[in-house]
Amino acid sequence: VDQELYSKERSASLDLLLRFQRLLVSKLYPADCVGQVPNTYSPDLLGVGSLLKKYTALLCTHIGDILPVATSIACTGHRHFAEVSRVVDGDLTGILLPELVVSIVLLLSKNAGLMQEAGAIPLLAGLLEHLDRFNHLAPGKERDDNEDLAWPGIMGSFFTGQSCRNNEEVTLIRKADLENHNKDGGFWTVIDGKVYDIKDFQTQSLTGSSIL
């Protein structure tokens, strides 16, 4: 019971932080202002930018303290990595950070000058090393990297009209490998003897997974 109460309290506090984070982003999102001089920002807008920088600094400090500890525990085995990942996913790292990064990238594309004035981006860059060390412990990382690297060659041969049979880099996938991949949450399917990864279409499809 105590653990459930703690979880609910933590969820409430995270929800409050997420609302605050979204409020900051909404205040910085540019509106269509007629007659505004380019690259000039009101004191209120600069104040919100400064507040975003302080918020990002506090968030990065917390994540910078958490991730090294999480990495040291996760490196002891796959089971520990899974447990640590579950905890991190429910922490600020998994809830606030992903949306903050996407929001800042969006704001940067809309108003690069204002985001440079705010100075929040360099703070996020300091987390890359910690995140990279943790992600390198993920089971199957080498396999995933190889699959990602294989895509350009496959797509290149598709657009150039060359036969995949003439490509020495093509990987033969056994039926058992395909079934095991799908059991682990993947979404491979076979069409005319070729294996296609349609995982990204699963969430976008309006027809449901069964038809896919």
Side-chain angles (χ1 to χ4, degrees):
V1 177
D2 292 340
Q3 186 175 1
E4 292 180 358
L5 290 175
Y6 172 74
S7 178
K8 290 181 179 179
E9 290 177 359
R10 187 184 64 178
S11 298
S13 62
L14 281 177
D15 183 65
L16 185 61
L17 284 173
L18 186 58
R19 290 172 182 268
F20 175 71
Q21 177 175 296
R22 290 173 176 175
L23 179 62
L24 289 177
V25 173
S26 67
K27 293 296 184 181
L28 290 171
Y29 194 83
D32 295 331
C33 298
V34 180
Q36 182 176 352
V37 180
N39 297 326
T40 59
Y41 312 109
S42 66
D44 291 342
L45 200 60
L46 292 175
V48 176
S50 177
L51 190 57
L52 176 66
K53 180 179 180 180
K54 292 179 181 179
Y55 169 81
T56 305
L58 291 173
L59 182 63
C60 290
T61 298
H62 171 79
I63 297 175
D65 292 338
I66 291 295
L67 280 180
V69 178
T71 301
S72 64
I73 299 174
C75 69
T76 56
H78 292 340
R79 180 177 298 179
H80 290 88
F81 178 85
E83 289 297 323
V84 170
S85 297
R86 182 180 61 81
V87 174
V88 169
D89 191 51
D91 187 64
L92 305 182
T93 309
I95 296 177
L96 299 181
L97 182 61
E99 185 170 317
L100 179 62
V101 171
V102 173
S103 299
I104 287 183
V105 170
L106 175 64
L107 291 173
L108 184 63
S109 67
K110 293 292 184 179
N111 198 333
L114 177 60
M115 294 311 298
Q116 290 176 355
E117 287 283 342
I121 298 176
L123 299 173
L124 290 172
L127 293 177
L128 291 178
E129 185 176 352
H130 295 302
L131 291 168
D132 192 54
R133 287 179 180 175
F134 183 79
N135 289 332
H136 269 72
L137 298 176
K141 178 190 72 68
E142 294 82 4
R143 180 193 63 194
D144 293 339
D145 287 347
N146 291 333
E147 289 179 356
D148 291 340
L149 290 173
W151 275 110
I154 294 174
M155 297 307 292
S157 63
F158 173 78
F159 285 114
T160 56
Q162 298 174 357
S163 174
C164 290
R165 296 181 182 273
N166 297 329
N167 190 343
E168 296 179 356
E169 300 298 327
V170 172
T171 301
L172 296 179
I173 299 176
R174 300 175 302 172
K175 183 179 179 181
D177 295 333
L178 183 141
E179 292 175 349
N180 290 333
H181 178 83
N182 289 346
K183 287 180 181 178
D184 293 337
F187 211 113
W188 286 355
T189 187
V190 180
I191 304 174
D192 294 333
K194 297 182 178 64
V195 178
Y196 295 87
D197 187 350
I198 57 175
K199 179 70 174 178
D200 291 341
F201 296 98
Q202 185 178 11
T203 56
Q204 302 174 12
S205 174
L206 300 177
T207 59
S209 299
S210 60
I211 296 179
L212 283 177

